[in-house]
Amino acid sequence: QKPSVTKMGNSSLNSSANSNNGIDFNLPTVMPTTSNESLTQKTSYSSISDKPKKLNRHSTGEDVLRKYSNTLNAENGSIPVDGLIGKVCVVTGGNSGLGFETIRVLLLGGVKRVYLCCRNTDLATTTLETSKILFAEKVIVLELNLLSLPSIKACADEILRREMNSNIDILVCNAGIMAPPKLIRNEYGWESQMATNHMGHFYFTNLLLPKMKAQLTRSRIVVVASMYHVSAKLYISDMHFNRPNNTYSPWKAYANSKLANVLFVKALATRLEDTQVTAVALHPGIVSTGLFRHVLPEKGLRPLIFKQLVADKTVPQGAATTIFACAAPEVSRMSGCYLDNCAKANDMLSFEGKDADCSRREDLW
């Protein structure tokens, strides 16, 4: 069966420039991540007996399933996990890269349905049809442009309509853009990275949140952030570079948006203390995907060097911490935490990311 596709509204806004001309390919000292593009290879397992004893930076999403699964369904290839069986999931930016790998592994884990929300629904449909992933018929493709408030509202409304008599169990805020060389604004004047990576997800999450809070079962909100938040210089009163003394820098803007992801999760967790909703942020690793399209040319020596010497994880490994955040039972006790390599990693947060007095998170909210 083919995946269902729903297009809504006008998503003519582009979240990034399409040309690499004139880009400075000097990468920052601390490499950013959050990846949402390029296809991934499959990894298959024939036995559940060799469960990973401990998850680490080399673990894949399927390793996470095997650790928490009690069985391997040899007939259909699934690796069912109690925390995923029968769940309804929403993944943004799932048409390629880490988002697509996340969806592939969630399907193997036994979820009931996945909403793949992205701008390019044609690419999402083609990816699903050509990749031949298992259980693709459980995927519903919806149009979502995180730069457009009407598009965000329409996508959320469609999910709420479809799940009126069901739950929304897992929301993965995975979509993102990184380091466009020139300042790009949406129709509201918002800088594109802050608008896409943080503000669009903030609005989308809050549209789905009342239903998730009202449910009688546990649910999770997973925000893909980045270790590059440590380089942020975020002026909350000028997040969109309007002041003359706060000039736009591609990497500064990216780091600011990733710090906003971290602070958003902390503020959200505080507001969810008396609910069954858990919210976490995570660092996926440095993964060579289309997220780097503004940084690396598609061909030549530089992308090859990047993959060999800079990237520290493959796409299956890069999705592992996201799958851990969705499926691991212990994560329900980690609301507000920062994860890395399938474990709690609050010590990796910057001073601003830790936000000890809670002031930054509340200012941002």
Side-chain angles (χ1 to χ4, degrees):
Q1 300 181 40
K2 292 185 177 181
S4 169
V5 183
T6 301
K7 292 189 176 184
M8 298 162 293
N10 183 349
S11 63
S12 59
L13 288 171
N14 291 320
S15 62
S16 61
N18 294 319
S19 173
N20 284 322
N21 294 334
I23 298 177
D24 180 3
F25 294 113
N26 293 321
L27 301 180
T29 303
V30 180
M31 287 303 305
T33 132
T34 38
S35 316
N36 73 326
E37 295 203 5
S38 93
L39 291 177
T40 178
Q41 72 268 25
K42 290 184 180 180
T43 305
S44 59
Y45 298 96
S46 59
S47 173
I48 201 70
S49 60
D50 55 342
K51 278 188 176 187
K53 294 181 179 179
K54 186 175 181 180
L55 299 172
N56 54 46
R57 63 185 298 270
H58 301 294
S59 301
T60 67
E62 288 191 27
D63 287 331
V64 176
L65 295 187
R66 291 167 61 236
K67 178 174 177 59
Y68 294 101
S69 178
N70 293 318
T71 181
L72 176 68
N73 192 326
E75 293 183 1
N76 63 15
S78 66
I79 312 173
V81 174
D82 288 345
L84 296 178
I85 295 172
K87 303 298 185 182
V88 174
C89 307
V90 179
V91 180
T92 70
N95 56 347
S96 53
L98 293 191
F100 185 77
E101 174 69 0
T102 295
I103 290 173
R104 185 186 76 81
V105 179
L106 288 174
L107 292 170
L108 289 180
V111 300
K112 176 182 178 181
R113 186 159 45 253
V114 180
Y115 289 94
L116 191 169
C117 307
C118 63
R119 279 191 311 122
N120 193 336
T121 56
D122 291 336
L123 174 60
T125 304
T126 300
T127 300
L128 284 166
E129 292 176 349
T130 58
S131 64
K132 302 187 185 303
I133 64 170
L134 297 176
F135 316 112
E137 69 278 2
K138 295 182 179 182
V139 179
I140 298 173
V141 179
L142 297 181
E143 186 175 345
L144 172 65
N145 180 356
L146 288 165
L147 285 175
S148 168
L149 296 182
S151 175
I152 297 169
K153 180 69 160 56
C155 184
D157 285 349
E158 180 66 13
I159 294 171
L160 292 171
R161 183 188 68 80
R162 288 172 178 256
E163 301 302 330
M164 184 180 302
N165 298 315
S166 185
N167 291 339
I168 299 173
D169 301 292
I170 298 170
L171 168 61
V172 180
C173 298
N174 164 84
I177 59 173
M178 185 179 72
K182 296 181 180 180
L183 174 60
I184 302 171
R185 300 184 187 276
N186 67 0
E187 62 182 297
Y188 318 112
W190 301 343
E191 187 274 321
S192 60
Q193 294 183 83
M194 183 62 71
T196 300
N197 300 350
H198 167 61
M199 299 181 75
H201 281 128
F202 176 90
Y203 184 41
F204 190 56
T205 299
N206 277 282
L207 289 171
L208 300 178
L209 194 56
K211 178 176 178 60
M212 297 177 77
K213 289 168 63 177
Q215 294 167 181
L216 300 178
T217 56
R218 291 186 178 276
S219 57
R220 295 186 184 181
I221 298 169
V222 178
V223 179
V224 181
S226 169
M227 70 175 181
Y228 198 59
H229 79 276
V230 301
S231 298
K233 295 180 180 179
L234 176 60
Y235 302 103
I236 293 178
S237 61
D238 187 34
M239 295 193 298
H240 305 295
F241 301 96
N242 292 312
R243 295 176 183 170
N245 63 343
N246 185 25
T247 56
Y248 174 78
S249 159
W251 292 115
K252 179 168 70 173
Y254 179 75
N256 288 351
S257 72
K258 296 293 99 180
L259 175 61
N261 288 156
V262 172
L263 294 175
F264 167 51
V265 162
K266 288 186 172 295
L268 184 59
T270 299
R271 289 160 172 78
L272 296 174
E273 285 179 352
D274 296 325
T275 73
Q276 295 197 83
V277 186
T278 298
V280 295
L282 63 89
H283 169 60
I286 304 172
V287 187
S288 179
T289 72
L291 184 69
F292 285 87
R293 62 183 173 273
H294 292 302
V295 183
L296 296 168
E298 292 184 6
K299 299 179 180 180
L301 187 60
R302 283 181 177 174
L304 180 62
I305 293 173
F306 176 83
K307 290 181 180 180
Q308 295 297 321
L309 300 180
V310 180
D312 65 355
K313 290 186 179 183
T314 64
V315 172
Q317 291 170 341
T321 302
T322 300
I323 299 300
F324 173 80
C326 294
E330 59 264 39
V331 172
S332 63
R333 301 185 297 274
M334 297 181 184
S335 197
C337 289
Y338 183 72
L339 311 179
D340 183 31
N341 294 328
C342 302
K344 187 161 62 173
N346 288 334
D347 57 334
M348 288 183 60
L349 290 171
S350 66
F351 176 80
E352 285 193 282
K354 291 176 181 176
D355 189 35
D357 65 359
C358 304
S359 60
R360 296 285 278 170
R361 70 189 74 174
E362 293 305 320
D363 289 345
L364 179 67
W365 191 281

